[in-house]
Amino acid sequence: MCGIVGIVGQSPVNQAIYDALTNLQHRGQDAAGIMTEHEGQLHLRKSNGLVRDVFQQNHMLRLRGNLGIGHVRYPTAGSASLSEAQPFYVNSPYGICLAHNGNLINAEELKRLLLESDRRHLNTGSDSEVLLNVFAHELGRLSGDGLTPDAILGAVEAVHRRCSGGYAVVAMIIGFGLVAFRDPHGIRPLVLGSRKTAQGPERIVASESVALDALGFELDRDVMPGEAVFIDTKGVVHRREYRNGATYSPCIFEFVYFARPDSVIDRLSVYKTRLRMGESLAAKILRLRPEHDIDVVIPIPDTSRTAAVQVAHELGVKYREGFIKNRYIGRTFIMPGQDERRASVRRKLNAIDLEFADKNVLLVDDSIVRGTTSQQIIAMAREAGAAKVYFASAAPPVRYPNVYGIDMPAASELVANGRSVEEIQEIIGADWLVYQDLDDLVQAVRHESATIEAFDTSCFSGEYVTGDVSQAYLDRLEVARADATRAKRDARVLREERDGRGDDDAMQAAGGL
């Protein structure tokens, strides 16, 4: 999962893009990048790390211009290479830079066609670079008589015909303006906003509305599935929509976990959807255990808080904050390796013993993915003195890979894959485990003001909305992920051995050995 933003301003946009990325930091903590354009010249800064660490004052001063895009990233295939930090750039035609959130299903086929037929070179293994080159090729093909809004929108339409998967994109064409588009199913989110200035209108596109709020932009609407939006340097908006029979099916996991609760995406308040998740989860608990002995409801910070408050209210029991979070440790789900996730849990959370001592505790989390975090948190609750530890997931069992841009491509890593609820309960060490039902989750997220036809629920149901995710594709992903994990582990071992030798050599030189 990644966060993207693009701004067409009447004054320098570097600070606004920085602030927007800070508000999207929850979507990726591996790398960050900003690219701006000023008088036909591009200015770029990108590196691994958090937004606050990547951009220092000297970098910001060099990011000149009234037009720019930004990106925060976490790797969806195990790689954390600086070479794959975004935005990406190609100089033909016109000069285009692009930032992307999502994942292309047919990336390997597109790579082959780009090399063999389109005669375009790729520098990385990123599907974002693939998408950029597909767009660049189609734009060059359609703009033979000069670049026009119709040619730009037509190039995006061609991208939709060639690319399959979940994607939201912002791109910048030097000297012309900003392009934004979303896959025909609307799997990944993208919103459009504006604000008025004395110099004229300013426009913004971003992954979530929360990026607009702090900057004083008004949320105009969502970029619709299959829609292409071109905003010229004067702020004039041109649009075209391409659906080709695709259903409007945003990823439901955005509402479960990824999106910030103060965001509105696809005309749905994330906060209200999570309240309704808590209501339906509590209703299931009361159906299964009307005479429950729960003393207190405690959330796993932070994403589950909204649902947990409502669970406690519906059950008529106390809600307490039993875990204190160290906010300087990243979100464990989006850390690139299992070792990092496992090691970070106890550094990240600390239990308040008096909230657990001799109590029957219901822990509420947004979801259970790999189970490692849940297992350790339950152990912490017992160490803090809990008499019994019950566990409730506001989402159904995650049994299948998500292939549209969320880092869970290997079924073997999912604790619920091929296991019953009772087996999962035993693995994580809970006295009782309850999951949200999928129908209840869909009903909790759905709202009458939204025009959504369905949701992508693939990680729960195994049904992929693009219709082209085969078992062979999933098997290839699992092998690639395993190879990446081994390579990363081997690199860490070599680094540790090298560092160990360096310490010994230094001590010997100082007479310490």
Side-chain angles (χ1 to χ4, degrees), residues 282-298:
K284 181 174 182 180
I285 292 170
L286 289 172
R287 286 196 309 271
L288 296 177
R289 293 199 172 186
E291 304 298 327
H292 69 80
D293 59 350
I294 298 167
D295 296 317
V296 61
V297 172
I298 293 177

Side-chain angles (χ1 to χ4, degrees), residues 270-377:
V270 176
Y271 175 76
K272 289 185 177 180
T273 66
R274 291 177 183 168
L275 282 178
R276 294 193 290 268
M277 289 178 206
E279 290 175 2
S280 58
L281 183 58
K284 181 174 182 180
I285 292 170
L286 289 172
R287 286 196 309 271
L288 296 177
R289 293 199 172 186
E291 304 298 327
H292 69 80
D293 59 350
I294 298 167
D295 296 317
V296 61
V297 172
I298 293 177
I300 311 303
D302 285 318
T303 319
S304 65
R305 279 200 174 103
T306 309
V309 167
Q310 203 64 15
V311 169
H313 175 77
E314 297 293 328
L315 295 182
V317 301
K318 294 177 182 178
Y319 169 90
R320 290 290 186 267
E321 293 285 342
F323 293 104
I324 299 302
K325 181 179 180 180
N326 180 346
R327 299 187 182 280
Y328 301 96
I329 301 293
R331 296 176 89 180
T332 56
F333 177 76
I334 62 176
M335 288 183 175
Q338 180 78 337
D339 291 339
E340 289 92 332
R341 285 187 292 270
R342 184 181 294 109
S344 75
V345 174
R346 288 181 180 265
R347 297 198 306 267
K348 174 181 172 182
L349 295 177
N350 191 43
I352 301 175
D353 291 2
L354 63 88
E355 296 294 357
F356 293 91
D358 302 319
K359 296 176 184 176
N360 298 331
V361 178
L362 175 66
L363 302 180
V364 178
D365 208 351
D366 52 79
S367 58
I368 305 172
V369 179
R370 297 166 177 88
T372 307
T373 299
S374 305
Q375 187 180 54
Q376 293 186 62
I377 288 172

Side-chain angles (χ1 to χ4, degrees), residues 71-93:
H71 186 267
V72 288
R73 170 186 184 268
Y74 92 93
T76 57
S79 170
S81 169
L82 176 59
S83 68
E84 296 190 6
Q86 298 183 40
F88 286 123
Y89 168 76
V90 292
N91 65 0
S92 175

Side-chain angles (χ1 to χ4, degrees), residues 7-9 11-14 17 34-45 62-70 87 89 94-97 171-178 231-234:
I7 298 178
V8 178
S11 59
V13 297
N14 53 352
I17 294 176
I34 295 175
M35 185 175 280
T36 61
E37 186 259 338
H38 178 66
E39 295 181 350
Q41 185 173 359
L42 288 176
H43 304 277
L44 170 66
R45 168 62 180 172
R62 290 198 293 267
L63 293 170
R64 303 170 62 199
N66 299 352
L67 175 65
I69 63 175
Y89 168 76
Y94 308 106
I96 306 168
C97 54
M172 187 167 61
I173 305 175
I174 298 176
F176 290 92
L178 186 74
I231 306 168
D232 65 27
T233 53
K234 296 181 180 179

Side-chain angles (χ1 to χ4, degrees), residues 179-190:
V179 186
F181 55 93
R182 192 178 179 194
D183 67 83
H185 291 280
I187 298 171
R188 300 269 68 88
L190 195 63

Side-chain angles (χ1 to χ4, degrees), residues 399-419:
R399 300 188 186 279
Y400 305 94
N402 183 297
V403 298
Y404 299 127
I406 296 178
D407 187 24
M408 50 171 90
S412 59
E413 295 183 20
L414 307 175
V415 69
N417 183 260
R419 294 188 177 99

Side-chain angles (χ1 to χ4, degrees), residues 145-222:
D145 297 327
L147 190 60
T148 64
D150 277 346
I152 294 168
L153 299 176
V156 175
E157 187 173 321
V159 169
H160 291 321
R161 287 195 297 267
R162 294 183 63 176
C163 296
S164 176
Y167 51 89
V169 174
V170 289
M172 187 167 61
I173 305 175
I174 298 176
F176 290 92
L178 186 74
V179 186
F181 55 93
R182 192 178 179 194
D183 67 83
H185 291 280
I187 298 171
R188 300 269 68 88
L190 195 63
V191 300
L192 178 66
S194 63
R195 67 182 178 189
K196 295 179 181 178
T197 70
Q199 295 77 29
E202 296 186 320
R203 311 284 184 182
I204 185 172
V205 290
S207 294
E208 297 180 33
S209 67
V210 70
L212 285 57
D213 297 339
L215 302 177
F217 281 89
E218 294 292 325
L219 173 62
D220 294 334
R221 61 181 180 85
D222 297 279

